[in-house]
Amino acid sequence: EIVSALHSGADVVAGHVEVYARDDRRPHPVEAYELVHAFPQETYVRRGGGSVTANLATLRTTFDAVGPFRHELYSGADIEWGQRAGALGMSTVYCRKAVVRHPARDSFGALNTKLRRVIMGRHERNVLDGAPEAAPWPPLRSLVPPVGALRRARDPRLVTQRARAGFVIGEFYHRYAAAWHHLRLAI
């Protein structure tokens, strides 16, 4: 599917990443959270041409034109690379039929590690792009409970009541762990 999309004229192809839990009927809250939120390739492409390398393909000529990944970034070099490609006029397409299966993170510690890495990587990118060295304070909205989680808990990937409840717990954990990492970075 990816090769077909490249032959059709795409410069970069972002394939679908299907996240799965060890047991979709009894997922850990972090697994439930990731079933709904992890690797939103279609959204990344729509918002600016980014893509995660979990399912990304390009041509050598495109890679040479865009240049290498920014090795100095702790995280997010794949998204930054895709956005750089877009800024150069390269076309990125989302290919739903090109599927890679990826296990969900399955512990609070694993999600915490990811959040620290992603938040630090984003800050590093901002600084490299000219932002002040000091990180901003987390926005006040990051302290508001994620009540929208109750609505999103109806997602069809959450196949049991236990999975839906776990998802809500995962949403709360994600919200406040991210706020904590933003606060630590600002301090």
Side-chain angles (χ1 to χ4, degrees):
E1 295 295 333
I2 282 180
V3 170
S4 177
L6 289 168
H7 283 304
S8 295
D11 296 304
V12 181
V13 180
H16 180 69
V17 181
E18 181 182 305
V19 177
Y20 64 91
R22 291 170 296 170
D23 178 354
D24 63 347
R25 299 190 59 72
R26 299 171 48 98
H28 184 278
V30 171
E31 287 179 307
Y33 174 84
E34 289 225 325
L35 286 173
V36 175
H37 290 297
F39 305 111
Q41 292 277 72
E42 186 174 17
T43 300
Y44 290 154
V45 170
R46 187 176 59 249
R47 288 184 182 167
S51 172
V52 296
T53 50
N55 195 356
L56 167 99
T58 191
L59 301 171
R60 181 68 202 202
T61 54
T62 301
F63 188 81
D64 288 343
V66 176
F69 291 98
R70 290 174 80 175
H71 65 85
E72 64 273 27
L73 294 177
Y74 188 55
S75 183
D78 48 3
I79 298 291
E80 186 277 335
W81 184 91
Q83 291 170 338
R84 199 166 5 118
L88 292 172
M90 307 288 181
S91 65
T92 299
V93 298
Y94 172 69
C95 186
R96 174 69 177 95
K97 291 183 178 180
V99 179
V100 167
R101 295 190 77 231
H102 193 290
R105 285 171 188 80
D106 61 1
S107 70
F108 292 114
L111 181 56
N112 191 51
T113 298
K114 177 204 172 201
L115 285 168
R116 184 175 58 246
R117 176 179 53 81
V118 168
I119 290 166
M120 178 57 82
R122 183 64 208 180
H123 175 66
E124 287 174 336
R125 179 177 169 191
N126 290 344
V127 170
L128 289 169
D129 290 345
E133 189 78 31
W137 288 93
L140 288 178
R141 74 180 188 292
S142 67
L143 302 176
V144 175
V147 294
L150 300 172
R151 185 183 72 257
R152 287 187 297 275
R154 296 184 196 125
D155 189 287
R157 292 169 285 197
L158 303 169
V159 298
T160 62
Q161 189 63 31
R162 179 181 176 136
R164 290 185 284 279
F167 170 78
V168 172
I169 293 167
E171 279 270 2
F172 272 80
Y173 181 83
H174 182 274
R175 170 69 53 93
Y176 294 116
W180 171 247
H181 286 296
H182 280 290
L183 181 62
R184 286 184 59 211
L185 192 57
I187 292 172

